[in-house]
Amino acid sequence: MSTEETKASVVDRVRGWGSSSLPGMGLATLITALHWRPFQALPMLLTPLLMFSSYLSVAGFKIDSAGMTAAWSGVYFLLAARRRPAALKNKFSARGAVRATAMGLSAANVIAGTYTYVTGDRKAEEQERKEMDKWGMYSDSE
């Protein structure tokens, strides 16, 4: 396997991750698991926004969804990183593993979402939406 094939493969995977609806919903699920009990309002405000970004992706607005997911994942990462250091025994618990997974997923979302948002082709995306025409939005315009 050549270096160019590997590079293209990595770029394709990052773009695929950024344009998918699953990363935002996965992060929303992990945030809910961590901050529902005891209830913490600030992180829980991010879950509906991440769910809406997943809906945007399913609706065909993948570039905007990637940007929104990257932004709110970055906000969550900053909120989670500012927490005081936990004791060593708390880091290796189930809650610590979920927190580490949520922070890792949010960092991956920031990288992939930002790349997809910056390099996205809006004209091609609009053409794809017109071809799919999921809800009959474009049937009258042609």
Side-chain angles (χ1 to χ4, degrees), residues 16-120:
W17 182 269
S19 62
S20 176
S21 64
L22 293 177
M25 188 59 79
L27 183 58
T29 303
L30 292 173
I31 290 172
T32 302
L34 282 170
H35 302 289
W36 187 258
R37 293 182 74 164
F39 188 78
Q40 297 169 348
L42 190 56
M44 289 301 294
L45 288 174
L46 301 177
T47 56
L49 298 167
L50 288 164
M51 288 180 191
F52 180 68
S53 72
S54 292
Y55 169 75
L56 283 177
S57 181
V58 170
F61 296 91
K62 295 178 190 268
I63 296 170
D64 296 324
S65 168
M68 188 172 178
T69 301
W72 292 116
S73 295
V75 169
Y76 178 73
F77 186 84
L78 291 174
L79 282 173
R82 72 181 177 91
R83 197 184 89 174
R84 63 179 175 80
L88 188 59
K89 68 175 186 168
N90 292 340
K91 288 184 181 179
F92 297 105
S93 64
R95 188 173 184 92
V98 172
R99 181 176 183 267
T101 303
M103 289 185 71
L105 183 59
S106 65
N109 287 351
V110 168
I111 293 167
T114 301
Y115 178 78
T116 303
Y117 185 76
V118 169
T119 62

Side-chain angles (χ1 to χ4, degrees), residues 6-20:
T6 305
K7 185 178 179 183
S9 174
V10 169
V11 168
D12 289 341
R13 285 183 185 208
V14 169
R15 186 183 309 274
W17 182 269
S19 62
S20 176

